[in-house]
Amino acid sequence: MSFKKQNLILFLIALPTSFFCLLLTSNILKQEGDLVQKIESKKPQIEKKTLVTNLNEENKIIALNPQPIKSPVLPQPSPAPIAQIPIPEETKNPTPKTTLIKKKPIIKKNIPKKDIFSQSYIHQDQFIPFSTSTVYDNNIAKGTTIIHQNGVNGIKRIYYTIYYKNGKEIKRIISNSTIIKNPINKIIKIGTKEIFDGRYDYAQGRAILTYTNNERAKIGLPPLKWNYNLAAYANVRSREVSIRPDHIRPNGLKYNSLNPSIIHGENLISGSDRPLTAQAAVNMWMNSPGHKANILRPQFKSMGGSYYINNGKYKHHWIQLFSVY
């Protein structure tokens, strides 16, 4: 067999095989093209901008509106049917549930507050009491007391600084003080000049004791004794009542200030313009409740009396002093 025949036989044998390979290759390429189109359809479309430039007289570039490139619309596969699953009635119309949420108690922390300190200033006026001084004057009759000058209180102003803590006073101190007005002292003058223009009737003074004991005997009381110390004090008092007819002495003190330890009662008659006897004096005292009570007082044990006559219009003065001793 010749070489040409052999090549022809081989060609005829290889021809169907080549055709089959070509057909297979064509199908593969087609499938690859379809796959590429599907992938491309899922990508976002990219707008390509075509710029056409044109140079004008002023050499400016003008941008034209880009036109989007439309991609072919590929057929979309229909969605698969969804299986219908029956839904229970409770699921379709669920009943709303109420859930109680318990609030946690808020715990307030005791944060210490900062103390606030402050201060203020005030002043107050206080009285400065006056003092009393006594001056003896020989130009004034003995036993006479005169207020020569009245006393007046002074005024002192005191300044305070007050300290506060949270609005409450915690301390107060004196920061300063000044005298607004000085006090004026009271001056009393007591006379020391001896003035004796009268006389004593000692017999009538002693006779007071007799008529006093007669009245005490009428109700069964024991008689009083004569007290010489009381008689001496009675002579002083009978002359004093000629100046000031009162149970207060001319110096402003009480009648018993002569000797309070033994003088416990006093009866007096002062300013009579006619002479009186001791019996008349005791009768006058018995007609006065207060004087009668002294004569008949059971506690009294002794007495002293005096009758003084001066040269004035009202010159008859009687004194009776009592003591529990």
Side-chain angles (χ1 to χ4, degrees):
M1 183 178 295
S2 64
F3 179 74
K4 293 182 179 181
K5 287 181 180 183
Q6 290 180 355
N7 288 339
L8 181 61
I9 293 170
L10 291 174
F11 175 76
L12 291 176
I13 293 171
L15 183 62
T17 302
S18 301
F19 180 77
F20 177 76
C21 291
L22 182 62
L23 182 60
L24 182 60
T25 302
S26 176
N27 289 335
I28 291 172
L29 293 175
K30 183 178 180 181
Q31 290 178 0
E32 289 180 355
D34 294 340
L35 182 59
V36 170
Q37 288 182 358
K38 290 181 180 182
I39 293 172
E40 290 295 332
S41 63
K42 293 181 180 181
K43 290 182 179 182
Q45 296 180 357
I46 300 175
E47 296 181 355
K48 296 181 180 181
K49 298 180 181 180
T50 305
L51 298 179
V52 178
T53 59
N54 186 14
L55 185 64
N56 58 6
E57 295 177 355
E58 296 179 358
N59 295 326
K60 293 182 180 180
I61 299 175
I62 300 173
L64 300 178
N65 292 331
Q67 297 296 328
I69 300 174
K70 295 182 180 180
S71 58
V73 178
L74 299 177
Q76 299 294 331
S78 59
I82 300 174
Q84 298 294 329
I85 301 173
I87 301 174
E89 294 296 331
E90 295 179 358
T91 307
K92 292 181 180 180
N93 299 316
T95 303
K97 294 182 180 180
T98 304
T99 305
L100 296 177
I101 301 174
K102 294 184 180 180
K103 295 183 178 180
K104 295 183 179 179
I106 300 174
I107 301 174
K108 296 182 179 180
K109 296 182 179 179
N110 295 327
I111 302 174
K113 295 182 180 180
K114 187 177 180 181
D115 293 329
I116 300 175
F117 295 92
S118 60
Q119 61 187 38
S120 64
Y121 307 93
I122 64 170
H123 71 269
Q124 293 179 349
D125 292 340
Q126 293 183 356
F127 286 118
I128 304 174
F130 64 86
S131 59
T132 302
S133 60
T134 302
V135 177
Y136 294 95
D137 193 337
N138 195 38
N139 296 320
I140 302 173
K142 187 177 181 179
T144 303
T145 301
I146 298 175
I147 299 176
H148 178 69
Q149 177 177 280
N150 290 320
V152 180
N153 291 327
I155 300 175
K156 181 180 182 180
R157 181 163 293 175
I158 302 176
Y159 297 88
Y160 295 91
T161 302
I162 305 176
Y163 296 89
Y164 301 90
K165 179 181 179 181
N166 299 325
K168 294 183 179 180
E169 181 179 342
I170 58 174
K171 185 171 62 174
R172 177 180 296 207
I173 62 173
I174 298 175
S175 56
N176 194 12
S177 63
T178 183
I179 303 297
I180 304 299
K181 181 181 178 182
N182 289 315
I184 300 174
N185 294 332
K186 183 178 181 179
I187 300 175
I188 297 176
K189 286 187 176 183
I190 299 176
T192 58
K193 184 178 180 180
E194 291 285 349
I195 300 175
F196 188 78
D197 57 352
R199 62 183 178 86
Y200 292 102
D201 189 336
Y202 295 105
Q204 286 296 311
R206 178 69 181 262
I208 296 173
L209 177 64
T210 301
Y211 296 106
T212 297
N213 286 334
N214 290 339
E215 297 295 333
R216 290 174 66 88
K218 292 177 182 179
I219 60 172
L221 292 175
L224 300 177
K225 297 178 180 179
W226 184 257
N227 189 317
Y228 288 94
N229 289 328
L230 290 179
Y233 293 132
N235 288 334
V236 175
R237 286 292 296 135
S238 64
R239 191 171 63 177
E240 287 182 345
V241 296
S242 68
I243 300 171
R244 181 175 180 175
D246 195 357
H247 291 290
I248 302 299
R249 301 178 62 196
N251 61 3
L253 302 176
K254 291 182 66 176
Y255 70 91
N256 65 343
S257 63
L258 288 168
N259 192 341
S261 64
I262 65 171
I263 301 175
H264 304 118
E266 180 184 65
N267 285 344
L268 70 84
I269 298 173
S270 179
S272 176
D273 57 352
R274 65 183 185 275
L276 293 174
T277 62
Q279 185 178 6
V282 173
N283 288 336
M284 290 182 66
W285 285 329
M286 288 300 291
N287 291 322
S288 171
H291 297 89
K292 179 180 178 180
N294 281 336
I295 292 173
L296 302 179
R297 195 177 300 277
Q299 291 83 3
F300 289 155
K301 300 294 189 295
S302 64
M303 65 153 283
S306 175
Y307 178 32
Y308 177 72
I309 304 106
N310 65 358
N311 296 324
K313 181 179 178 180
Y314 303 99
K315 56 185 180 181
H316 301 279
H317 313 280
W318 292 82
I319 286 292
Q320 184 183 31
L321 297 178
F322 301 92
S323 177
V324 296
Y325 301 110

